[in-house]
Amino acid sequence: MPLTRIALRAGKPAEYRKALTDSIQRALVGTFNVPKDDVFMLLSEHEAGNLIYDRQYLNIERSDDFVAIQLTVSNTRTLEQKKALYQRIADELAQSPGLRREDVFISLVEVDKENWSFGNGIAQYAV
């Protein structure tokens, strides 16, 4: 059920982008119990002037490899699950594609379960 938006600097090869999505999906499956085939991800690549972020906010040194990840999820997870997700995403991305943890920015947007339609004009999770 997550909808994942990933913003990154333009010019990374297809293998890098695939490693990003695969790593994030593994983290979602492992910490949020998302089904393996529940994959809805949007990647947007930005030229340097269109990806704007503070390189030192909260004393975290960010580089040109900065990646912003926004996850829209149902509001059913605990604080512990959220912390585990953040850590797992950073760990997975550090392994492959080799992204520095300092360059991983994550934002969760939580919505009620009835705010999803996966197709056919039906609110599949509405009760």
Side-chain angles (χ1 to χ4, degrees), residues 16-94:
Y16 182 93
R17 295 189 312 270
K18 180 162 178 21
L20 279 176
T21 58
D22 289 350
S23 295
I24 294 167
Q25 184 65 15
R26 280 193 302 275
L28 286 164
V29 169
T31 59
F32 271 25
N33 302 315
V34 170
K36 194 173 185 177
D37 62 344
D38 185 356
V39 182
F40 298 92
M41 297 193 183
L42 308 169
L43 276 80
S44 60
E45 296 183 82
H46 304 271
E47 296 302 323
N50 293 326
L51 187 63
I52 301 162
Y53 54 93
D54 190 292
R55 289 181 174 265
Q56 297 179 343
Y57 183 70
L58 295 178
N59 295 316
I60 300 170
E61 298 290 329
R62 294 172 190 82
S63 75
D64 289 343
D65 288 329
F66 174 81
V67 173
I69 302 164
Q70 182 181 57
L71 299 146
T72 303
V73 300
S74 293
N75 61 352
T76 59
R77 280 28 178 255
T78 66
L79 177 59
E80 292 75 25
Q81 285 177 297
K82 293 173 191 177
K83 288 179 178 181
L85 176 68
Y86 303 147
Q87 185 65 56
R88 180 75 180 267
I89 289 174
D91 291 346
E92 290 279 350
L93 292 176

Side-chain angles (χ1 to χ4, degrees), residues 99-113:
L99 188 61
R100 296 171 56 247
R101 287 173 171 80
E102 295 89 346
D103 288 323
V104 179
F105 178 95
I106 304 166
S107 171
L108 283 183
V109 177
E110 295 181 300
V111 300
D112 293 330
K113 290 182 84 169

